[in-house]
Amino acid sequence: MNMLEQIESFGAIDAENDERLIEYFYRTEIIDELLSYRRSIVIGRKGSGKTAIYKYIKNEKKNNCTALLFKDYPWKTHDRFKNNIVSERESYVNSWTFFFFIEIFKKIIELKESISDKKKRKEVKKIEKWLKRNWGSINFDHREVMSPKKPKFNFTFSPQISGYSLGSLSKDLSEKEDMGSTLTEYNKKLEKITTGLVKDFQGEIILAFDELDLSYSPSDSNYENRLIGLLLTTYDFFNKYREKIKVFVFLRNDIFNVLEFQDKNKIKDNMVVFLDWDSESVESLLSLKALISNRIKNNIGSKSDNFERNWNEIFEDNNIGRNQLKWNFIIERTFVRPRDLIKFMNLALDQAKARLRIQPDSIDKITNEDIHNIRALYSTYLFEELKDEVMSKYPDYNKYMEILRDVHKVTFTFEEFTASYETIKDRLEIVEDIDTVLGRLYEFSIIGFYKPGGGGYGGSEYRFQYTSDHQAFNPRASKFRVHYGFKEHLELIE
């Protein structure tokens, strides 16, 4: 059997469905920073590896970790607990603090044998009874935290836990109009109880938040404040309980960038790790070459960690396109993130295996022809991959792409774009002006703009948002370039 035939794939493009993720996982110093809790908030583009890290931490700390996925989370229920007394930016801190404490209590009950003090264990039993009385069990889902059950009995159950009385939560909430202030009262007690219990807790408790972007809507005024509240609460727990309680939050960078609040820079400097991948060096903290080398190594049984050696086992050793290395040719068609690279390699692998079945004596490596044959498929993937992300913010995304299709060139001038815009704007009912459309295309790295060099600031280059996150767009640049990954889908020429 050919070597390529023995490789099923280089892994799934999404960590949720990658059965070999732990086997493939590329462990960097960033993981050490997270597990030692020097950092706790992971920011990156869609497809940059946030969920892979989430799943790795969950696997490494499976007994201590509570995995909190926010798909189908009842945000409207959570919104009822806004604290209307404080500023909008802080209005969700109370509800998230309460949410944290309840999830921590559930984990403490599960790990109660980690508490050596017998008196403290009795306190844990009281907490268990209180949770059962208010939620019906101790195994309720995190989506139910903000929905305690209505009491079935008229009498009040108010256990004394560490000297603090906790009553019927649903009863207290139903009797008071301001639910936010009710949570304030409870949080004061829950904090005292938690502080007392974790002092004697042998081990750690981990809360990991993922899929927070699934409910993202730029038109939802509450969304930003919810996330700001979550980050502020994470920061508070980071400072108060970092030896015993660790909270990890995974969030898309475009969402993090739009959040504005007073302590953002403190959080950014002290807690955030950014998943900015490097496509050139194998020695960098987040090296795509090291990641891919590791995946190839695991598939072919190589004993080497050397990127060049492993890469050349799979790919034919000759240049492609504009006399480029295959690696560079592929990279410029990605957003320099693992998902895109793995997708390209999987498509090329399938094409090579199909060739070998027809021509079994041909070379047992991925060739230039294999790569060229899958470019259109890959280009459509990249378009569809970006589509959901862009359309949630800009519903006219497809119309903007039609302007580029009409331009019909990878590299174009402002005048050429204007001509195509004027030609089709009425037919497609595009209401945004030219500068707005160009700015939105740049925002999602569909186009880049030409930045001249000189003046001691380096050479000329095309700047894309994904490579220069804080580079202001120049709508009057002399030239623009469509990202090479969209070339085939938009049927563009050089």
Side-chain angles (χ1 to χ4, degrees):
M1 182 184 287
N2 293 314
M3 178 186 65
L4 294 184
E5 283 290 350
Q6 298 179 52
I7 304 173
E8 183 179 349
S9 75
F10 294 107
I13 63 170
D14 56 324
E16 295 89 344
N17 297 311
D18 198 339
E19 295 178 357
R20 298 179 67 185
L21 176 68
I22 303 303
E23 176 190 351
Y24 282 148
F25 193 80
Y26 165 54
R27 178 161 177 159
T28 72
E29 291 177 23
I30 284 176
I31 300 299
D32 297 327
E33 284 193 325
L34 292 169
L35 293 179
S36 63
Y37 211 48
R38 298 194 299 275
R39 302 279 165 171
S40 77
I41 298 171
V42 181
I43 305 296
R45 285 193 65 143
K46 180 182 178 184
S48 60
K50 299 184 299 298
T51 298
I53 294 173
Y54 167 87
K55 289 186 72 174
Y56 181 82
I57 290 175
K58 189 176 74 167
N59 182 74
E60 283 287 293
K61 303 287 184 177
K62 55 174 70 77
N63 294 327
N64 300 79
C65 182
T66 296
L68 302 164
L69 296 174
F70 279 76
K71 183 179 181 180
D72 301 324
Y73 184 76
W75 290 109
K76 289 184 178 179
T77 301
H78 197 124
D79 291 345
R80 291 168 53 223
F81 294 87
K82 277 181 68 175
N83 187 344
N84 296 314
I85 297 175
V86 299
S87 70
E88 281 290 310
R89 295 306 194 209
E90 297 179 332
S91 59
Y92 283 89
V93 172
N94 252 3
S95 55
W96 282 119
T97 300
F98 178 79
F99 182 99
F100 280 28
F101 282 134
I102 299 305
E103 288 299 325
I104 289 165
F105 282 173
K106 287 163 62 180
K107 183 57 72 173
I108 286 176
I109 292 167
E110 183 184 328
L111 302 174
K112 58 190 172 190
E113 296 304 317
S114 297
I115 298 176
S116 55
D117 190 309
K118 290 183 179 179
K119 289 182 179 179
K120 295 285 179 64
R121 280 198 220 165
K122 288 182 180 179
E123 301 290 286
V124 174
K125 287 184 178 179
K126 291 179 183 179
I127 293 173
E128 184 174 349
K129 195 171 183 180
W130 179 73
L131 289 180
K132 286 180 179 177
R133 186 59 62 107
N134 281 283
W135 280 273
S137 78
I138 58 169
N139 298 315
F140 55 93
D141 189 79
H142 65 279
R143 297 171 183 85
E144 301 174 65
V145 169
M146 310 310 289
S147 305
K149 312 296 182 186
K150 291 183 179 180
K152 297 179 181 179
F153 309 102
N154 291 325
F155 64 84
T156 300
F157 173 71
S158 301
Q160 290 286 323
I161 305 174
S162 299
Y164 299 93
S165 175
L166 297 179
S168 171
L169 183 61
S170 56
K171 182 173 181 290
D172 287 346
L173 292 173
S174 65
E175 290 178 354
K176 295 183 180 181
E177 293 183 8
D178 185 358
M179 289 191 266
S181 62
T182 301
L183 286 191
T184 301
E185 296 169 17
Y186 267 90
N187 285 342
K188 289 176 183 176
K189 298 176 183 179
L190 299 179
E191 180 177 352
K192 297 289 185 183
I193 294 168
T194 301
T195 300
L197 289 176
V198 298
K199 281 181 182 178
D200 197 51
F201 189 80
Q202 304 301 311
E204 59 187 1
I205 293 169
I206 296 173
L207 305 182
F209 292 76
D210 197 17
E211 295 187 347
L212 292 158
D213 59 307
L214 295 182
S215 61
Y216 176 55
S217 170
S219 61
D220 184 351
S221 59
N222 284 322
Y223 183 84
E224 289 182 20
N225 291 329
R226 291 179 197 134
L227 287 187
I228 289 170
L230 174 60
L231 295 177
L232 289 173
T233 307
T234 302
Y235 183 53
D236 184 48
F237 274 64
F238 184 78
N239 291 321
K240 287 180 179 176
Y241 302 106
R242 62 190 304 172
E243 296 300 320
K244 300 290 184 179
I245 299 171
K246 300 177 180 179
V247 182
F248 296 107
V249 177
F250 299 82
L251 193 62
R252 266 186 11 217
N253 67 334
D254 60 307
I255 297 174
F256 181 76
N257 288 341
V258 301
L259 302 181
E260 296 294 339
F261 56 102
Q262 188 173 352
D263 288 326
K264 183 175 181 179
N265 284 336
K266 288 182 184 177
I267 290 174
K268 192 174 177 180
D269 292 342
N270 294 301
M271 300 178 66
V272 171
V273 59
F274 292 95
L275 299 184
D276 295 325
W277 289 89
D278 181 353
S279 63
E280 297 180 7
S281 171
V282 292
E283 304 296 334
S284 60
L285 198 60
L286 281 171
S287 168
L288 272 178
K289 285 185 174 180
L291 180 146
I292 292 301
S293 180
N294 187 56
R295 292 203 170 213
I296 295 173
K297 173 184 173 181
N298 276 279
N299 274 290
I300 66 174
S302 169
K303 295 182 179 179
S304 173
D305 291 320
N306 182 274
F307 167 76
E308 298 291 345
R309 185 177 300 170
N310 288 331
W311 180 260
N312 289 330
E313 286 290 329
I314 296 295
F315 288 88
E316 186 181 22
D317 186 19
N318 58 353
N319 289 356
I320 188 172
R322 303 183 305 276
N323 198 28
Q324 290 177 284
L325 295 172
K326 286 187 180 63
W327 174 263
N328 294 339
F329 181 88
I330 295 171
I331 284 295
E332 72 176 5
R333 284 159 174 75
T334 74
F335 287 125
V336 191
R337 57 185 186 177
R339 176 175 296 188
D340 302 336
L341 194 51
I342 292 167
K343 179 67 176 182
F344 200 108
M345 290 177 62
N346 282 343
L347 288 173
L349 173 66
D350 290 342
Q351 178 66 32
K353 290 195 290 188
R355 168 178 53 79
L356 283 165
R357 285 192 286 272
I358 298 170
Q359 304 171 27
D361 294 330
S362 59
I363 186 170
D364 189 17
K365 292 185 180 183
I366 295 171
T367 67
N368 289 351
E369 184 180 3
D370 297 328
I371 290 173
H372 286 307
N373 285 338
I374 59 92
R375 282 168 58 181
L377 274 176
Y378 173 80
S379 188
T380 298
Y381 146 79
L382 196 66
F383 173 82
E384 295 295 336
E385 175 72 15
L386 195 62
K387 186 176 179 179
D388 292 340
E389 192 176 337
V390 181
M391 288 192 73
S392 67
K393 189 171 184 180
Y394 303 127
D396 285 343
Y397 163 69
N398 285 326
K399 296 179 182 179
Y400 304 158
M401 298 298 271
E402 286 307 308
I403 301 173
L404 295 177
R405 193 186 297 275
D406 188 79
V407 171
H408 196 52
K409 294 164 65 178
V410 173
T411 303
F412 58 90
T413 64
F414 180 81
E415 289 73 23
E416 288 171 324
F417 186 85
T418 300
S420 290
Y421 170 88
E422 294 294 344
T423 299
I424 66 177
K425 71 170 184 177
D426 292 335
R427 175 169 58 86
L428 296 182
E429 299 179 342
I430 298 173
V431 297
E432 296 82 13
D433 61 31
I434 293 174
D435 285 0
T436 299
V437 174
L438 282 169
R440 291 178 176 180
L441 290 170
Y442 174 75
E443 180 183 343
F444 284 92
S445 296
I446 298 162
I447 66 168
F449 69 94
Y450 184 72
K451 185 176 174 61
Y457 293 102
S460 302
E461 63 179 342
Y462 282 92
R463 303 299 293 268
F464 286 85
Q465 177 75 7
Y466 75 94
T467 59
S468 38
D469 211 19
H470 303 290
Q471 171 69 61
F473 177 58
N474 179 11
R476 293 296 179 271
S478 61
K479 292 182 289 185
F480 302 90
R481 175 175 288 171
V482 178
H483 187 286
Y484 275 113
F486 299 108
K487 180 182 176 182
E488 289 74 27
H489 183 79
L490 294 175
E491 300 174 307
L492 307 180
I493 61 174
E494 291 286 348

